[in-house]
């Protein structure tokens, strides 16, 4: 079958092993000091290994490959004594226990939305629009606004916001983001992502777009924990 699967560029691979550690399916192993895809049917195509690679040696390709075999993966993990992965780390259930805080008396009403344009989904946003002219661009994970209480005030204020989820959308945002950066006067880019591995696809897409745009645009990445803290 033709499906999306990882490709490891042996010339770029520096043998650090970070991708092998990040792959919860055990699809990547170290062979002669280089990372290699051990078996096609071990790769689920989620791409947890992509953001872990410091040299950009890992990409997605579409080619003839065996279908992902969850039973074979589980059997391989048991044979190696590896703990059960419990599915995608980003989908692992967690509950946060919050203490109720009193609402300040000065809070006369709801905060104003800081969303500066519509649509805001990367897939739906136009490539060219007046609001991109001289804009500070925020590229944020869908979940970020729900995890971080002051998303509008701390990150969206004064910026044009684009949001997406590389896992659920199942697309490579880098091509469209490249067009937006190349064809508009973007002053800066801020990426707000979640700590879960699959969210690294958002950061990677922005990095690729910045490189492909041919422009020098200041950028930064902010990572949020699932319980709403700024990690870096």
């Amino acid at each position: 079958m033709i499906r999306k699967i990882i490709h490891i560029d042996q010339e770029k691979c520096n043998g650090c092993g970070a991708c092998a550690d990040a792959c919860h399916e055990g699809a990547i192993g170290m062979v002669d000091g280089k990372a290699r895809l051990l078996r096609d049917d071990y790769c689920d195509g989620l791409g947890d290994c992509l953001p872990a690679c410091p040299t950009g040696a890992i990409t997605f390709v579409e080619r003839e490959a065996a279908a992902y075999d969850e039973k074979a993966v589980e059997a391989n993990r048991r044979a190696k004594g590896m703990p059960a992965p419990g599915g995608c780390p980003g989908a692992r259930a967690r509950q946060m226990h919050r203490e109720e805080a009193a609402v300040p008396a000065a809070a006369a009403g709801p905060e104003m939305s800081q969303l500066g344009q519509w649509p805001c989904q990367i897939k739906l946003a136009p490539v060219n629009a007046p609001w991109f002219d001289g804009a500070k661009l925020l590229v944020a994970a869908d979940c970020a606004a729900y995890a971080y209480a002051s998303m509008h005030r701390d990150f969206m204020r004064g910026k044009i916001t684009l949001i997406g989820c590389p896992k659920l959308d199942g697309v490579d945002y880098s091509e469209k983001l490249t067009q937006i950066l190349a064809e508009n006067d973007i002053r800066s880019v801020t990426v707000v992502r979640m700590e879960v591995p699959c969210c690294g696809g958002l950061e990677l897409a922005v990095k690729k777009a910045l490189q492909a745009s041919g422009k020098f645009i200041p950028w930064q990445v902010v990572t949020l924990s699932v319980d709403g803290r700024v990690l870096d």
Side-chain angles (χ1 to χ4, degrees), residues 102-111:
V103 178
E111 289 190 25

Side-chain angles (χ1 to χ4, degrees), residues 168-187:
L168 295 184
D169 285 349
V171 297
D172 181 0
Y173 298 129
S174 61
E175 184 176 347
K176 186 167 190 178
L177 291 174
T178 297
Q179 290 180 281
I180 291 173
L181 295 178
E183 299 179 20
N184 298 278
D185 179 24
I186 303 297
R187 294 167 54 192

Side-chain angles (χ1 to χ4, degrees), residues 40-62:
D40 288 359
D41 59 347
Y42 286 180
C43 178
D44 59 7
L46 290 179
D48 290 349
C49 53
L50 269 71
C53 179
T55 65
I58 304 177
T59 56
F60 275 127
V61 297
E62 287 194 3

Side-chain angles (χ1 to χ4, degrees), residues 3-141:
R3 70 180 183 96
K4 185 170 69 172
I5 196 167
I6 65 161
H7 170 74
I8 305 174
D9 187 330
Q10 296 298 296
E11 294 296 322
K12 292 182 179 180
C13 177
N14 66 0
C16 69
C19 59
D21 292 337
C23 179
H24 61 275
E25 304 292 338
I28 301 175
M30 304 304 296
V31 179
D32 296 329
K34 296 280 188 176
R36 296 187 185 276
L37 178 61
L38 301 179
R39 282 177 46 167
D40 288 359
D41 59 347
Y42 286 180
C43 178
D44 59 7
L46 290 179
D48 290 349
C49 53
L50 269 71
C53 179
T55 65
I58 304 177
T59 56
F60 275 127
V61 297
E62 287 194 3
R63 63 169 175 83
E64 183 72 32
Y68 172 63
D69 189 338
E70 186 175 0
K71 291 183 178 180
V73 170
E74 291 178 357
N76 179 57
R77 293 182 66 88
R78 285 196 300 270
K80 293 182 177 180
M82 300 169 69
C88 171
R92 188 171 301 134
R94 314 182 202 184
Q95 183 177 9
M96 277 69 78
H97 298 279
R98 312 285 190 184
E99 292 184 6
E100 291 188 11
V103 178
E111 289 190 25
M112 295 293 293
S113 170
Q114 298 300 317
L115 184 63
Q117 92 295 337
W118 188 266
C120 58
Q121 286 282 350
I122 299 174
K123 291 177 67 176
L124 300 179
V127 171
N128 299 104
W131 57 72
F132 284 133
D133 187 28
K136 296 179 180 178
L137 189 64
L138 171 66
V139 182

